Amino acid sequence: PVAAGLATEGSMPVVAIYSTFMQRVLDQIILDVCLQKLPVIFAIDRAVIVGDDGPTHHGVFDLSFLRFIPNLILMAPKDERELQNMLYSAVTYPGPVAVRYPRGPGIGCDLSDSFEKLPLGKGELLREGKDILILPVGNRVHPALSAAEGLQKLGVEAAVINPRFINPIDGDLISEWAGKTGLVITVEDNAEKGGFGSGVLELLAKRGLGNTVKVKTLGLPDHFIEHGPQETLYKNARIDTPAITQAFLKLIASNQ
């Protein structure tokens, strides 16, 4: 199944595959690629709620079943420009790399003929704030920024970090801002169980912040997602802008 989606970019093998189909080849990814540290790029398409393709095509488990694999670099872009840079960076990294990206159009940002190599394992601080840290993955970054702007009208200063890397996670940047704010919300278009939010909880526990930082994880619920328009499903799953805002209000109320 992996070979069916195999293309060649110079000497760099590229596997272009839907997230939902990638579930079928986990053993090959682990043993045939990652164990041997082979320089294979996995371009994971439709790695989100896909909408009207039906429940079998939602790509909402890949963060959970890929982030635990040793040697595998795992990234998620916030927009089409960052996707360009991630694919460019993937060619330069030693070993296997996976880049997951959503179905549908980008946000309309300008694209460029020049590319930037992203520092391995380094997130991006998009907004500073003293009251809460929001950690959104991939296509949840811009809804999180909108939520931060709305919270500002309520007198709340929200820091927003684009993690970029799910593995290796930027432990220093996330721990620094989690310590500053004491409150964290993670947001991902992936199953909440075992996803990025779980990784943040593990990180904070290892850094000794598990008892001092309060974390709310937002992700897809523990059932199969039904057929429907993407925006409706985001709303139902409570990972859209209003849900992020409401999650903060509940978190701050429970912290008082």
Side-chain angles (χ1 to χ4, degrees):
V2 166
L6 189 63
T8 301
E9 181 65 31
S11 61
M12 177 73 69
V14 179
V15 178
I17 188 169
Y18 281 9
S19 172
T20 186
F21 300 154
M22 199 172 188
Q23 297 163 185
R24 308 173 189 178
V25 296
L26 180 59
D27 190 55
Q28 288 178 274
I29 295 167
I30 294 173
L31 298 181
D32 296 342
V33 178
C34 294
L35 179 63
Q36 304 176 67
K37 301 181 183 179
L38 297 182
V40 176
I41 298 173
F42 295 98
I44 310 173
D45 188 12
R46 303 191 180 211
V48 293
I49 290 175
V50 296
D52 295 323
D53 281 352
T56 59
H57 278 55
H58 295 309
V60 296
F61 302 113
D62 54 88
L63 292 186
S64 301
F65 70 73
L66 290 177
R67 75 175 187 87
F68 70 83
I69 303 177
N71 301 327
L72 180 64
I73 297 170
L74 178 57
M75 296 183 279
K78 68 179 185 296
D79 54 39
E80 58 269 43
R81 171 60 179 156
E82 192 164 66
L83 175 58
Q84 278 189 317
N85 289 331
M86 286 184 176
L87 291 173
Y88 173 75
S89 301
V91 176
T92 70
Y93 294 147
V97 180
V99 182
R100 55 116 59 183
Y101 51 93
R103 176 194 181 188
I107 65 167
C109 63
D110 292 333
L111 300 180
S112 173
D113 293 332
S114 62
F115 307 116
E116 174 190 355
K117 180 180 177 180
L118 303 179
L120 179 61
K122 296 300 181 182
E124 177 186 29
L125 179 63
L126 298 175
R127 181 187 176 107
E128 295 188 2
K130 60 181 177 60
D131 298 314
I132 189 169
L133 170 62
I134 306 177
L135 293 170
V137 173
N139 71 351
R140 297 296 87 198
V141 169
H142 289 282
L145 287 171
S146 296
E149 292 172 3
L151 288 170
Q152 187 172 25
K153 297 176 182 178
L154 301 176
V156 177
E157 293 297 331
V160 179
I161 290 175
N162 170 23
R164 286 179 168 169
F165 292 85
I166 290 80
N167 189 50
I169 193 170
D170 192 340
D172 291 340
L173 182 64
I174 291 174
S175 296
E176 175 188 354
W177 283 91
K180 287 180 179 179
T181 63
L183 297 175
V184 175
I185 292 177
T186 68
V187 194
E188 59 194 297
D189 191 355
N190 184 82
E192 184 178 359
K193 281 189 173 181
F196 174 74
S198 296
V200 171
L201 289 169
E202 294 163 9
L203 167 69
L204 296 179
K206 289 179 179 178
R207 295 289 180 103
L209 295 171
N211 294 325
T212 58
V213 177
K214 198 161 191 176
V215 181
K216 172 66 177 177
T217 59
L218 299 182
L220 301 178
D222 189 23
H223 60 73
F224 290 105
I225 305 300
E226 65 274 16
H227 174 98
Q230 283 178 303
E231 293 307 317
T232 299
L233 297 179
Y234 289 140
K235 179 180 178 181
N236 292 347
R238 302 193 61 76
I239 56 173
D240 59 358
T241 294
I244 298 170
T245 304
Q246 292 168 17
F248 167 76
L249 297 176
K250 290 181 180 179
L251 188 60
I252 195 68
S254 67
N255 201 47
Q256 292 176 345

